[in-house]
Amino acid sequence: MTAEHTVKLVNPVGQRAVERVALARRLDTLHGKSIGFIDNMKPNANLFIQYIEEMMRADYTEIQTHSVRKNYTSSKLIADELDGKVQCLVNAWGD
């Protein structure tokens, strides 16, 4: 008696959705806005955020800022911690 085996090949290249999604509208100004910063713990991400915040504050002294920092758990969401608190976001994300 011989066993019949089935092999399923899976293409690892994902398919892109054809549907286009509009980008969020850019703010006209940062005056009086609340800015969120996400630090993803990549090397020097905290310095990047610090420098960007300093540059923003030089031109917009009245802005409020909120920062969140990713922890070592890659699956933990952190952007939701800024939900309802900010009108724009700077994300230190990348390799």
Side-chain angles (χ1 to χ4, degrees):
M1 187 161 141
T2 62
E4 186 175 314
H5 297 284
T6 302
V7 175
K8 182 177 182 180
L9 296 176
V10 179
N11 183 351
V13 178
Q15 299 297 317
R16 283 188 5 177
V18 179
E19 177 184 347
R20 289 183 175 239
V21 178
L23 296 175
R25 185 183 69 80
R26 291 189 179 258
L27 298 175
D28 295 329
T29 182
L30 293 181
H31 285 289
K33 300 298 187 217
S34 183
I35 317 297
F37 295 95
I38 295 179
D39 177 350
N40 69 350
M41 293 185 59
K42 297 289 185 187
N44 297 318
N46 58 337
L47 293 175
F48 170 77
I49 288 174
Q50 178 185 332
Y51 296 147
I52 296 297
E53 183 175 356
E54 287 173 5
M55 287 190 290
M56 286 180 169
R57 285 192 182 280
D59 292 333
Y60 305 97
T61 56
E62 76 287 354
I63 63 172
Q64 296 178 2
T65 60
H66 304 273
S67 297
V68 293
R69 188 166 199 249
K70 194 164 183 66
N71 68 13
Y72 292 105
T73 308
S74 62
S75 62
K76 182 181 183 295
L77 301 176
I78 59 172
D80 62 325
E81 295 176 26
L82 298 172
D83 192 28
K85 297 179 183 175
V86 300
Q87 286 88 33
C88 63
L89 180 70
V90 175
N91 187 5
W93 181 67
D95 291 318

